[in-house]
Amino acid sequence: MRTVRALLLSSFATLAIFGLCGATAAPSTVDATAAPCGPNLISNGSFEHGTDPGSYHTINVDSTDLDDWSVTKGTVDVVGTLWPASAGARSIDLDGVSFGAISQEVKTDPGKTYVVTFDLSGNGYGPPTVKTM
């Protein structure tokens, strides 16, 4: 099992990991335009399942308010109606009251190549103007 971690990002809305069909190249040489195939290995990648956040809902480490994810550091905000999500109706702000992190265990196979995709946007309600990742 591998753990997918997203640390210190302002916010992101959708996360996906797909296997690549027939990929045999080393990870450092994978064609970034290669088409993923197979199912998304991330559960609840657009954060739609869990406690209804309304506008937004802050959750802490050890919370069970976000299905399939663990808050592993600080706090995160599950965002509902505060801003539009890139997929579905929710997104996650990884800088809730403090810098936060979430993780999820994902079953992967040794030697297989995977594509990780996500949408990223900075929280426009607070500084800094330029967000870093």
Side-chain angles (χ1 to χ4, degrees):
M1 296 290 260
R2 301 272 183 195
T3 299
V4 174
R5 288 189 191 238
L7 296 172
L8 305 178
L9 300 175
S10 285
S11 63
F12 64 87
T14 306
L15 179 65
I17 297 179
F18 300 96
L20 283 177
C21 287
T24 57
S28 62
T29 61
V30 170
D31 177 1
T33 63
C37 65
N40 181 357
L41 302 179
I42 297 290
S43 297
N44 197 19
S46 60
F47 314 106
E48 301 300 311
H49 305 287
T51 300
D52 183 350
S55 178
Y56 72 93
H57 174 65
T58 302
I59 58 177
N60 302 299
V61 172
D62 296 327
S63 172
T64 58
D65 288 347
L66 183 59
D67 293 2
D68 304 318
W69 291 95
S70 296
V71 177
T72 59
K73 178 180 179 183
T75 62
V76 301
D77 293 333
V78 179
V79 177
T81 59
L82 185 62
W83 58 63
S86 68
R90 298 182 186 177
S91 59
I92 193 113
D93 185 341
L94 293 174
D95 188 1
V97 176
S98 59
F99 288 128
I102 59 174
S103 69
Q104 179 179 135
E105 287 192 1
V106 177
K107 185 178 180 331
T108 59
D109 296 319
K112 188 171 181 182
T113 302
Y114 295 87
V115 173
V116 178
T117 65
F118 59 93
D119 296 333
L120 171 71
S121 175
N123 180 337
Y125 290 103
T129 301
V130 176
K131 313 297 185 190
T132 59
M133 179 174 116

